[in-house]
Structures are given as structure tokens and as C-alpha cells.
């Protein structure tokens, strides 16, 4: 039906629910798609996406990142990708990181990486659909989709048009955490997308002298939130100042973050 949001729970129409998922391109074989979402910006969602992809690839899986944060893409810089994506007779080809992670982002198509993307929602949604269908991804065991914050056009497009196996919600230990997580959780449930778990970023700062964990952004209550929603806490990531420098230099694949391993254990089991 025209104007359908995909949410049948609040709809009075008696239509059958349509499967709006788009087929993969002829040169793609993506087995699992995991969305990485947040209810607000500034929580480190792209960092978590990059770390999950890097750890998954380190375990020998064919891994890809589809950067769906079209107006604020940061994935290429995190992986040290500054060239332009190229194509051949198969279509557009993803750029490949040092360890072999396949990446597609609008920043790989722009003349300059600081060129703004001033597009309306339908155009941005069309780009996501093209990334899914017109990029020759080849064999991929796990594709991570880095989504913009919130519950707007892009998450809706990804949830409706891609065969998303589940999402990871990224948040921080602040008073708004319950509302932030529940917004993302409720949207996923409306769209019948499983919530695989929560990653709390910037959970604490470890004192370099005494090793004490300092709650810079307040005490965490993520375990209680996760328990109420019936989803696991995949990881609690600390603040490590050195990590920012490594990401800025495009070396996210070398970031020492053992805490992410437990998350990947659950996502790839």
C-alpha cells in the first residue's frame, strides 16, 4: 500500500504485510546483515561498527561494512581509506582495508572527503538501496551496516529493504540511556527486527596510575535496562585516549579493545 511504514501493529488496514526486501546484486553473496544503531548521535556508533568488523575479520570471516550514515560518513577514515571506489563490468566495487574488510561509503565516491552531502531523504534512501544492489560485494559472511542516529528515513530503508538479521544498539552511561535505548529497541520491534544486544561505549576511564575505574559520564545502569528489555549487554567499552589517535590515523584495525571480543562471540556463534 502507498505510504506504508512497515509497522502493522498500529495500522487499521487489512492488507497483507508486504516483503519489501530487495534482492542482492548478481555478484554478491551476503550471508548475514547486522545493523549498528543508536538513539542519538555522539555515542561512538561508527567506532563500535569498525571494531566489530575488525574483530570479526580477525577471526577469518569475510567481513564488510556498508556505511549508511550518508550525511556523516566516518567509516573510510577510520580504516585509512582515502581513494575513490572503482567499478568494472560487475558494477561498483567496495574498497578493501588492510586486513581485507570490504567497505562502501558515500565518502569513497565524493571528489573531496569534506564535501557535504546535502540531499533529501528519498535520495539518501536510494543511495542505500544502490549500495546493497549495485555494489559487487562477492562473498561476505557478516556485513555490518553503520546507520545514522535516530529513527528516520535511513534506518527505515535498511530495516525494510535489507535482510537484516538483527541489530546492535550502541549507547553511553548517561541519564538518557533508557530513553535512547528504548527508542532504537521499539523501532526494531515495530519492524520485526531482532535486537541482538547492547554495547555501552565510554563506559569508564581506567586510571593509568592505580587502575581504578572512573565513571566519567555517571554510573552505568545498562544491565538494568538490558534486563528490562530482555536483551544481553554485549560489551562495556572503556575510554582509552590512545584509541582516538589510532582511529584518526586510519588504524582502527589495530586498536587494542579486547572487550569487543565477547560481543563478536555472541554475534558469530
Amino acid at each position: 500500500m502507498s505510504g506504508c511504514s512497515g509497522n502493522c501493529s498500529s495500522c487499521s488496514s487489512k492488507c497483507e504485510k508486504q516483503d519489501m526486501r530487495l534482492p542482492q546484486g548478481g555478484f554478491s553473496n551476503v550471508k548475514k546483515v547486522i545493523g549498528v544503531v543508536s538513539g542519538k548521535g555522539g555515542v561512538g556508533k561508527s567506532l563500535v561498527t569498525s571494531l566489530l568488523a575488525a574483530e570479526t575479520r580477525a577471526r577469518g570471516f569475510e567481513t564488510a561494512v556498508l556505511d549508511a550514515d550518508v550525511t556523516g560518513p566516518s567509516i573510510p577514515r577510520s580504516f585509512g581509506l582515502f581513494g575513490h571506489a572503482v567499478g568494472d563490468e560487475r558494477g561498483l566495487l567496495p574498497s578493501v582495508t588492510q586486513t581485507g574488510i570490504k567497505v562502501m561509503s558515500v565518502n569513497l565516491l565524493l571528489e573531496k572527503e569534506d564535501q557535504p552531502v546535502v540531499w533529501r531523504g528519498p535520495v539518501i534512501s536510494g543511495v542505500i538501496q544502490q549500495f546493497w544492489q549495485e555494489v559487487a560485494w562477492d562473498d561476505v559472511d557478516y556485513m555490518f551496516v553503520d546507520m545514522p542516529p535516530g529513527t528516520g528515513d535511513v534506518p527505515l530503508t535498511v530495516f525494510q529493504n535489507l535482510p537484516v538479521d538483527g541489530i546492535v544498539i550502541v549507547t553511553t552511561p548517561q541519564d538518557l540511556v533508557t530513553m535512547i535505548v528504548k527508542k532504537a529497541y521499539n523501532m526494531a520491534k515495530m519492524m520485526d527486527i531482532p535486537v541482538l544486544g547492547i554495547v555501552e561505549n565510554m563506559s569508564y576511564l581506567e586510571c593509568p596510575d592505580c587502575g581504578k575505574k572512573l565513571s566519567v559520564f555517571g554510573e552505568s545502569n545498562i544491565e538494568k535496562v538490558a534486563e528490562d528489555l530482555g536483551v544481553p549487554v554485549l560489551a562495556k567499552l572503556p575510554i582509552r585516549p590512545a584509541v582516538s589517535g589510532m582511529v584518526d590515523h586510519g588504524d582502527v584495525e589495530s586498536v587494542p579493545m579486547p572487550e569487543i571480543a565477547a560481543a563478536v562471540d555472541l554475534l558469530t556463534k
Side-chain angles (χ1 to χ4, degrees), residues 85-122:
V86 298
D88 60 17
E89 68 278 357
R90 296 174 295 165
L92 193 60
L93 302 178
S95 296
V96 181
T97 71
Q98 293 181 15
T99 65
I101 299 170
K102 301 167 187 175
V103 174
M104 180 48 65
S105 169
V106 73
N107 251 21
L108 298 172
L109 305 175
L110 300 176
E111 253 184 66
K112 298 166 59 179
E113 70 166 358
D114 59 358
Q115 181 179 336
V117 176
V118 189
W119 298 337
R120 293 191 182 276

Side-chain angles (χ1 to χ4, degrees), residues 14-229:
K14 302 302 180 183
C15 59
E16 291 186 10
K17 187 172 182 180
Q18 292 180 311
D19 186 349
M20 301 174 68
R21 290 176 296 181
L22 300 174
Q24 299 182 42
F27 299 97
S28 298
N29 179 29
V30 180
K31 298 179 180 68
K32 285 200 173 184
V33 178
I34 298 174
V36 183
V37 308
S38 65
K40 66 181 291 293
V43 299
K45 172 185 50 58
S46 295
L47 172 63
V48 171
T49 302
S50 301
L51 292 173
L52 289 172
E55 177 66 21
T56 303
R57 177 58 185 161
R59 299 183 183 203
F61 294 105
E62 292 295 334
T63 307
V65 178
L66 190 159
D67 188 358
D69 195 351
V70 175
T71 59
S74 58
I75 291 294
R77 175 174 281 272
S78 298
F79 286 101
L81 299 173
F82 298 101
H84 289 93
V86 298
D88 60 17
E89 68 278 357
R90 296 174 295 165
L92 193 60
L93 302 178
S95 296
V96 181
T97 71
Q98 293 181 15
T99 65
I101 299 170
K102 301 167 187 175
V103 174
M104 180 48 65
S105 169
V106 73
N107 251 21
L108 298 172
L109 305 175
L110 300 176
E111 253 184 66
K112 298 166 59 179
E113 70 166 358
D114 59 358
Q115 181 179 336
V117 176
V118 189
W119 298 337
R120 293 191 182 276
V123 178
I124 295 174
S125 295
V127 170
I128 305 305
Q129 294 165 346
Q130 287 180 297
F131 282 175
W132 174 247
Q133 290 194 296
E134 298 180 21
V135 173
W137 292 102
D138 204 1
D139 290 322
V140 173
D141 296 314
Y142 291 92
M143 173 181 283
F144 294 93
V145 182
D146 183 33
M147 286 194 264
T151 54
D153 285 338
V154 170
L156 185 60
T157 296
V158 172
F159 287 167
Q160 287 184 328
N161 294 159
L162 273 61
V164 180
D165 294 279
I167 65 164
V168 173
I169 301 174
V170 182
T171 187
T172 53
Q174 294 167 304
D175 290 340
L176 290 173
V177 63
T178 302
M179 180 188 71
I180 292 167
V181 171
K182 285 186 175 179
K183 278 181 180 290
Y185 176 89
N186 288 333
M187 181 179 187
K189 287 303 178 184
M190 286 169 58
M191 306 299 294
D192 294 325
I193 304 293
V195 178
L196 304 176
I198 305 171
V199 172
E200 183 179 77
N201 191 31
M202 297 181 268
S203 187
Y204 58 88
L205 174 67
E206 195 170 84
C207 175
D209 296 322
C210 67
K212 182 179 179 181
K213 294 181 178 180
L214 307 174
S215 301
V216 179
F217 293 108
E219 293 298 327
S220 171
N221 68 337
I222 195 63
E223 282 88 359
K224 177 65 167 59
V225 174
E227 182 182 355
D228 290 345
L229 297 178

Side-chain angles (χ1 to χ4, degrees), residues 5 7-12 190:
S5 68
N7 176 23
C8 296
S9 63
S10 60
C11 181
S12 60
M190 286 169 58

